[in-house]
Amino acid sequence: MEQYLNRGIKDIIQECPETGRILDEFNIGCTACSVGTCLLKDIVEVHNLPYEEEHALMLRISRVIYPGAEVEVPRVQRKAQPSSGGIKYSPPMKALVDEHTVIKRLLALIPRVIEELDVTREQHRKLVLEVVDFIRSYADRFHHAKEEDILFREFGEDLEIIKSMHEEHRIGRGHVKAVIEAVESGDTAAVKDHLTAYGQLLTGHIRKEDEILYPWMDRNLSTAQVGALFSKFAETDEQSRETACRQKEFIRSLEKKFTCEEVTNHV
Ligand SMILES: [Fe+2]
Ligand SMILES: [Fe+2]
């Protein structure tokens, strides 16, 4: 069983699909993950499984991999002890979670933006490009850059979980590029498809960061590292203050626009 700890989870699921269903039962969504390059041993630590749950999970998986055999269930070596209770973020991580809240407000509006979209009309094109501007300047250059240039580097780019976050950022950028190309060619259906795909990708990505990645990072950061992150984030915030304010204002105006339209339509 020990050798399976160092194997990629997607490989194990492919070889033995039942392991994917077991992970789902433990609320570990590897089957739905768009990247899934984590190793089995990472899953236990990253998801903060209490020791009893880790044992139960490993026992179930070992019985599927070695049916009928008596297998010794290994315990994963962890850098940090599992913590219990609700999620308590350190100040720099809390700042990133707050930025996710702003991004999620845009994601919630995507179905409204594409509802009656027709990019052959100038006003509709303008709206999509404003959405793209928010994604590029706030979600990507401001928020994702903080993750990629500061936070992820603290843990090393070779970690599978960090690679999978980078990969999802890359896929997101691909959707945004495709949206711009579709606006230029007047292809409304493609704009709708790529904005929807972006919304779904980011919704899952943010959930993983809020519920799994950031809490795991917090468990592994020293007080000195938390302090250093906090001051580096403050520096970035200072440089991007105007952009952040402008984009938050854009979200407010978009929410207002759709709320007003809803009220008007019901009068
Ligand atoms: Fe991210
Ligand atoms: Fe994020």
Side-chain angles (χ1 to χ4, degrees), residues 96-97 99-100 103 139 143-144 147 152 169 202 205-206 209-210 214:
L96 294 178
V97 171
E99 287 165 17
H100 284 166
I103 298 168
H143 175 78
H144 289 165
E147 291 177 338
F152 293 173
H169 288 179
L202 255 275
H205 180 81
I206 286 174
E209 290 184 337
D210 283 354
Y214 294 170

Side-chain angles (χ1 to χ4, degrees), residues 71-117:
V71 179
E72 197 181 326
V73 178
R75 177 177 274 193
V76 173
Q77 296 295 321
R78 308 191 197 198
K79 287 196 211 84
Q81 300 304 307
S83 61
S84 57
I87 301 174
K88 291 181 208 81
Y89 298 105
S90 63
M93 243 39 113
K94 175 74 171 63
L96 294 178
V97 171
D98 290 344
E99 287 165 17
H100 284 166
T101 306
V102 178
I103 298 168
K104 284 194 284 186
R105 284 165 65 192
L106 184 274
L107 302 181
L109 292 168
I110 288 179
R112 302 297 309 274
V113 170
I114 64 172
E115 202 174 13
E116 289 172 12
L117 191 70

